[in-house]
Amino acid sequence: MRATMIHGTRDIRVEDRPDPEVLLPGDAVVRVTAACVCGSDLWPYRGVREVTEPKPIGHEFVGVVEAVGDEVTAVKPGDFVIAPWAISCGTCPPCRNGVQVACEHRAAWGGSDEQGLPVDGGQGERVRVPMADGTLVAVPGVTDPDEALTKSLLTLSDVMGTGHHAAVAAHVGPGRSVVVVGDGAVGLSGVLAARRLGAERIIAMSRHEDRAELARQFGATDVVAERGAEAAEKVRELLGGVLADSVLECVGTKESMDQALRCTRPGGSLGFVGVPAGGAELPIGTLFSKNISVAGGAASTRHYLPELLEDVLSGDINPGHVFDSVMPLEEAAEAYKAMDERRAVKVMLVPGLQR
Amino acid sequence: MRATMIHGTRDIRVEDRPDPEVLLPGDAVVRVTAACVCGSDLWPYRGVREVTEPKPIGHEFVGVVEAVGDEVTAVKPGDFVIAPWAISCGTCPPCRNGVQVACEHRAAWGGSDEQGLPVDGGQGERVRVPMADGTLVAVPGVTDPDEALTKSLLTLSDVMGTGHHAAVAAHVGPGRSVVVVGDGAVGLSGVLAARRLGAERIIAMSRHEDRAELARQFGATDVVAERGAEAAEKVRELLGGVLADSVLECVGTKESMDQALRCTRPGGSLGFVGVPAGGAELPIGTLFSKNISVAGGAASTRHYLPELLEDVLSGDINPGHVFDSVMPLEEAAEAYKAMDERRAVKVMLVPGLQR
């Protein structure tokens, strides 16, 4: 099969790889119909995280189950499934607590499973899925979604669930004022999640008109282009003299975390989901004196999948709009480049796509 | 009047000071019937925080209102009142949000008010209370409480409200497992607060039998004497293979924060109220990967005072047991010494006490 490998900084290649097979009784093999590039894939791409050897990459995909091991009961061949970005058993204490990202038997896409067997990356034609019962979610009544539905289902693998996690962690709810730091796919999903959870006022931070427009479409009531102290003052002005009740940090850099903290009112809540990179810190003195609560982290999108899936299937939310580009899997290198250069918000990769 | 001053490291003196008067229309003057030494008073005492000039000290006291300014309506001469450790206006946005510690007009005991006028410390015979309406809480039906009731009322100024804040911040509630790090007055109050909030299992960390005994009396179901990784393993063992849902950090040092983080399960909640000193940090990577939420900080005990006062007056809780020593105000220096050397959990200072 064809699959995407990262060889080093800015070195993405689509190569021939062995076809995956069911190796363990809990495995499934999924034929990928769509995958995508994550903002966090850009950390190794940019060299922020070192790549020590070539490895399969990608952790967001949807597709059709082709084969399952003897112990798999939750999905069957022919099912259209969503694979969350984190593999999880579904039965250990963290999984039962809804924190599948801390699964005690965790395996990693593009890495290996608990038994040391290799696991394919998501940006390829096929993937061996360990612990399929805990990991995969079958989409009821859907076998061959069109492109628009595919996009929305694919966001439930990571970005939409991650934006939702930020909103939940920041205690977004009716009557609350919200600031979203980050206008990438996760930030935009956070805007949509905040609207879905009933926030009264949603301020998106963006200085890119196309992203700001999508934020408005997703429910942002205001867009702030300023940064730093000016941005916080703008938020205070928009909210009638106070800072925000809930702030979603959706980037992961020192600057974005500082921005998020500046915008949070005393006693407010900060939900952070940007993968920490570039020295992001939580200053204990500020949190102490301002009583700012901090929650979030890696999102257990598996936990949120059922409720979000229901709203996607009903048409209540259309998070797939975060994909502003669709490319053949073979053009994965260009997809990374477009996202790195911020020419694309998020790129969907489709195996076998002709154009 | 006589009042306690800190002159430098380990230099506490009770001295003659000017009698306070009503200076502003919002002021009250309170005759202190009992005050106490806070764990955080030990930071300047120990030199952890530099003392640059002699200043009045103490921020926890109860007493009788002697005089009020023209604008004061919530308390009147003769009222028995509790003064929270933080002075607050009661009407600015943070105050209305229940975060009085971030009052926009904040003044400080032993420091000055917004107008730059000096404010007395709490460890003295009398105190000028700025913004008396927002700050003071009158105790209904009580004019001259006995020593036992005085002790419990005095804890509502700081330690009981602070322990409660830690428990609320850590989402303590029915069915939750709780670990309390710190066996000082705040930690012990945290145990009591956790029981009051319905926690199922409360593990106190202590290696002092007298404190452990008080923890048990307050509702601890288990006491762990181990520290570090061993303590976390003990917690895991006691809780049947998982770490705690809620952890209360009630010290403020690097060691205690590390201990608290070690004991929190993935997706669990850490409530921190120990005044950060000695390099306490919140490691963003751990919080991210384990999805540990962090909340708390300086406690707005004014916010919690009404509900906790009701339970003290009904006899449902007796937090005054944290006072294991009562001394005349004149012996304030010895009170600091006893607490510094951990010979006393918490010392109540009584002006004019004969013994």
Side-chain angles (χ1 to χ4, degrees):
Chain A
M1 68 161 181
R2 302 286 289 170
T4 309
M5 303 283 287
I6 184 165
H7 284 254
T9 303
R10 295 179 205 278
D11 187 357
I12 296 288
R13 307 180 199 171
V14 178
E15 302 177 352
D16 286 326
R17 298 277 300 166
D19 271 320
E21 293 174 14
V22 167
L23 300 178
L24 296 168
D27 286 355
V29 170
V30 171
R31 176 174 57 81
V32 175
T33 60
C36 52
V37 181
C38 183
S40 69
D41 290 333
L42 297 180
W43 300 132
Y45 181 77
R46 288 170 175 161
V48 177
R49 291 193 178 175
E50 197 187 1
V51 178
T52 53
E53 55 179 356
K55 60 176 287 196
I57 192 166
H59 54 256
E60 300 164 62
F61 62 97
V62 296
V64 178
V65 176
E66 286 198 327
V68 296
D70 290 344
E71 290 176 5
V72 175
T73 60
V75 296
K76 60 183 188 305
D79 282 353
F80 189 87
V81 293
I82 301 168
W85 72 267
I87 299 167
S88 58
C89 75
T91 56
C92 71
C95 281
R96 289 200 308 272
N97 282 326
V99 193
Q100 283 91 339
V101 297
C103 173
E104 293 177 357
H105 307 285
R106 189 166 167 197
W109 305 119
S112 58
D113 61 19
E114 203 180 21
Q115 287 76 16
L117 300 168
V119 179
D120 307 286
Q123 293 159 10
E125 289 184 324
R126 282 179 177 73
V127 175
R128 180 177 76 90
V129 178
M131 305 185 288
D133 276 353
T135 302
L136 296 175
V137 174
V139 182
V142 170
T143 51
D144 186 19
D146 63 16
E147 186 179 285
L149 180 56
T150 296
K151 284 177 171 174
S152 282
L153 295 174
L154 183 55
T155 66
L156 303 185
S157 173
D158 190 342
V159 288
M160 182 61 208
T162 295
H164 176 70
H165 187 51
V168 170
H171 301 130
V172 172
R176 299 270 288 188
S177 58
V178 179
V179 163
V180 180
V181 178
D183 62 1
V186 171
L188 293 165
S189 299
V191 169
L192 182 56
R195 193 202 61 184
R196 179 179 172 275
L197 291 168
E200 184 173 301
R201 197 76 180 265
I202 303 170
I203 302 171
M205 298 218 158
S206 179
R207 42 178 56 180
H208 298 84
E209 196 35 54
D210 52 341
R211 292 165 189 249
E213 182 47 40
L214 187 49
R216 287 192 198 92
Q217 185 184 325
F218 275 176
T221 54
D222 306 88
V223 174
V224 166
E226 287 83 352
R227 292 201 182 160
E230 281 180 31
E233 275 320 299
K234 187 78 186 177
V235 166
R236 192 191 293 274
E237 187 189 314
L238 286 168
L239 297 179
V242 294
L243 295 169
D245 299 320
S246 299
V247 177
L248 282 54
E249 193 292 307
C250 302
V251 183
T253 60
K254 178 162 174 48
E255 291 71 25
S256 61
M257 183 59 85
D258 291 350
Q259 185 68 76
L261 286 163
R262 277 177 193 275
C263 294
T264 315
R265 71 161 168 83
S269 304
L270 194 158
F272 79 113
V273 294
V275 181
E281 284 175 3
L282 293 170
I284 194 167
T286 303
L287 300 183
F288 188 87
S289 60
K290 288 188 73 182
N291 269 228
I292 293 174
S293 72
V294 174
S300 295
T301 57
R302 177 64 182 81
H303 177 62
Y304 300 123
L305 239 161
E307 62 171 309
L308 295 175
L309 177 56
E310 198 176 310
D311 281 14
V312 163
L313 293 177
S314 72
D316 282 353
I317 56 172
N318 291 291
H321 291 303
V322 297
F323 288 105
D324 55 351
S325 179
V326 178
M327 299 183 188
L329 173 63
E330 293 295 328
E331 294 175 21
E334 168 56 21
Y336 276 77
K337 199 156 182 288
M339 283 183 59
D340 178 44
E341 294 168 3
R342 300 205 93 198
R343 284 183 281 116
V345 175
K346 196 165 176 76
V347 183
M348 183 161 85
L349 293 170
V350 179
L353 179 69
Q354 304 294 323
R355 62 173 188 181
Chain B
M1 69 162 181
R2 302 287 288 170
T4 309
M5 303 281 287
I6 184 163
H7 284 254
T9 303
R10 293 178 206 281
D11 186 358
I12 295 288
R13 307 180 199 172
V14 178
E15 301 177 353
D16 287 327
R17 299 278 300 165
D19 271 321
E21 293 174 13
V22 168
L23 300 179
L24 296 168
D27 286 356
V29 170
V30 172
R31 175 174 57 82
V32 176
T33 60
C36 53
V37 181
C38 182
S40 68
D41 290 332
L42 297 180
W43 299 133
Y45 180 78
R46 289 171 176 160
V48 176
R49 289 191 181 178
E50 196 187 1
V51 178
T52 53
E53 55 180 355
K55 60 177 285 195
I57 192 166
H59 53 256
E60 300 162 63
F61 61 97
V62 297
V64 178
V65 175
E66 286 197 328
V68 297
D70 290 343
E71 291 176 3
V72 175
T73 59
V75 297
K76 59 183 187 305
D79 281 354
F80 189 88
V81 292
I82 302 170
W85 73 266
I87 299 167
S88 58
C89 75
T91 57
C92 71
C95 281
R96 289 201 308 273
N97 282 327
V99 193
Q100 284 91 340
V101 297
C103 174
E104 293 176 357
H105 307 285
R106 190 167 167 194
W109 305 119
S112 59
D113 61 17
E114 203 180 22
Q115 287 75 17
L117 298 169
V119 179
D120 308 285
Q123 294 158 10
E125 289 183 323
R126 280 179 179 74
V127 176
R128 180 177 76 90
V129 178
M131 304 185 287
D133 276 352
T135 304
L136 297 174
V137 174
V139 182
V142 169
T143 51
D144 186 18
D146 64 15
E147 185 179 286
L149 180 56
T150 297
K151 285 178 172 175
S152 283
L153 294 174
L154 184 53
T155 66
L156 303 186
S157 173
D158 189 341
V159 289
M160 183 60 208
T162 295
H164 177 70
H165 186 51
V168 169
H171 302 129
V172 172
R176 297 270 289 188
S177 58
V178 179
V179 163
V180 180
V181 178
D183 62 0
V186 171
L188 293 165
S189 298
V191 169
L192 183 56
R195 193 202 61 184
R196 180 179 172 275
L197 291 169
E200 185 173 301
R201 196 76 179 265
I202 304 169
I203 302 172
M205 298 217 158
S206 179
R207 41 179 56 181
H208 298 85
E209 194 35 54
D210 52 340
R211 292 166 189 250
E213 182 48 39
L214 187 48
R216 286 190 199 93
Q217 187 185 323
F218 274 176
T221 53
D222 306 88
V223 174
V224 166
E226 287 84 351
R227 291 199 183 163
E230 281 179 32
E233 275 318 299
K234 187 77 186 177
V235 167
R236 193 191 292 275
E237 187 189 314
L238 286 168
L239 297 179
V242 292
L243 294 169
D245 298 321
S246 299
V247 177
L248 282 54
E249 193 291 307
C250 302
V251 183
T253 60
K254 178 163 173 49
E255 291 70 25
S256 61
M257 183 58 85
D258 291 350
Q259 185 69 75
L261 286 165
R262 278 177 192 276
C263 293
T264 315
R265 71 160 168 84
S269 303
L270 194 158
F272 80 113
V273 294
V275 182
E281 285 175 2
L282 293 170
I284 195 168
T286 303
L287 300 183
F288 188 87
S289 61
K290 288 187 75 182
N291 268 228
I292 292 174
S293 72
V294 174
S300 295
T301 58
R302 177 65 184 81
H303 177 62
Y304 300 123
L305 238 160
E307 62 170 308
L308 295 175
L309 176 57
E310 198 176 312
D311 281 14
V312 164
L313 293 176
S314 71
D316 282 353
I317 56 171
N318 291 291
H321 291 302
V322 296
F323 288 105
D324 55 351
S325 178
V326 179
M327 299 184 188
L329 173 64
E330 294 294 329
E331 294 175 21
E334 168 55 21
Y336 276 77
K337 198 156 183 286
M339 283 183 59
D340 177 44
E341 294 169 0
R342 301 206 91 199
R343 284 184 282 115
V345 175
K346 194 166 177 76
V347 183
M348 183 160 86
L349 293 170
V350 178
L353 179 69
Q354 304 294 324
R355 63 171 188 181

